[in-house]
Amino acid sequence: MLFRSDGTCVLTVPAVHFNEIHFNPNDYLGFTDLTHEFIEIHNNTAAPVNIAGWRISGGVDVTFPIGASIPANGFVLAVATPATYATAGVNLYAYTDDLNNESEELRLYTNNNILADQVSYYSNCWPAAADGTGPSLELRNYNLDNNLPASYCTGVQNNGTPGHINSCFTAQILGCTNTAATNYNQIGRAHV
């Protein structure tokens, strides 16, 4: 099982992880699923990561081609329509199908078919404003468990922050709140 710490826990953190998910854009404003959905992957290391042959599966499918990489501390986007995010300043990779607006399990596999990360979101228990009102789900800190609803916020703008630091990102996270860690602190605060 993969865990993320709150920044103080002693755990193994995946270097490459899901960071932002725009699963249900605002149709009323003209931002449809097929044009504005995206999945952002972040490289949480100081060196580029070669992701050629890696793939995302679960609801949508994309395999990253030869030459695909994520820059040091950078991002890539898997998108429904690449033209929509052509100015995001990151590499874009088109996926097939579309994200479910109610729930989905996304999995990221390496080129050796090893599970690198996974996220299961549910619209009824994750931040509500990400469900059809315009903003995306944004991870609050790269070291949080990205499979927990409390680790996310909804962005402050329509269509999120693709290719950029999340709008609600905070480096200040106090206390180890992961029960799997050796330095777990039950009174620690996961978010400030």
Side-chain angles (χ1 to χ4, degrees):
M1 178 175 278
L2 300 174
F3 292 101
R4 283 219 178 38
S5 78
D6 65 357
T8 62
C9 297
V10 179
L11 295 166
T12 301
V13 177
V16 177
H17 59 92
F18 293 111
N19 183 58
E20 185 174 359
I21 304 166
H22 197 27
F23 68 93
N24 189 10
N26 190 328
D27 285 337
Y28 298 108
L29 295 178
F31 307 129
T32 68
D33 288 358
L34 294 177
T35 60
H36 285 77
E37 281 186 355
F38 69 83
I39 302 165
E40 182 181 76
I41 300 171
H42 177 251
N43 171 9
N44 199 25
T45 72
V49 173
N50 179 351
I51 59 168
W54 289 41
R55 64 186 169 85
I56 297 173
S57 69
V60 300
D61 292 294
V62 61
T63 299
F64 297 100
I66 293 172
S69 69
I70 307 175
N73 299 304
F75 309 94
V76 296
L77 294 177
V79 297
T81 305
T84 301
Y85 294 105
T87 61
V90 296
N91 291 330
L92 306 171
Y93 303 95
Y95 55 70
T96 59
D97 297 319
D98 65 338
L99 294 170
N100 188 299
N101 290 345
E102 294 181 17
S103 66
E104 196 78 76
E105 180 180 52
L106 300 173
R107 295 174 299 279
L108 178 65
Y109 292 97
T110 69
N111 59 345
N112 295 321
N113 207 34
I114 296 170
L115 183 65
D117 196 17
Q118 70 180 32
V119 171
S120 297
Y121 66 82
Y122 301 89
S123 64
N124 62 346
C125 61
W126 286 61
D131 187 12
T133 66
S136 61
L137 289 174
E138 297 182 6
L139 194 60
R140 294 176 188 271
N141 182 287
Y142 304 136
N143 294 309
L144 291 173
D145 183 343
N146 69 344
N147 206 32
L148 296 176
S151 298
Y152 288 85
C153 70
T154 49
V156 297
Q157 61 191 38
N158 277 327
N159 302 317
T161 58
H164 302 283
I165 193 165
N166 293 341
S167 63
C168 64
F169 183 85
T170 179
Q172 184 179 12
I173 297 181
L174 307 174
C176 174
T177 59
N178 189 322
T179 57
T182 57
N183 62 333
Y184 168 69
N185 176 358
Q186 68 180 11
I187 61 172
R189 293 184 304 165
H191 305 293
V192 176

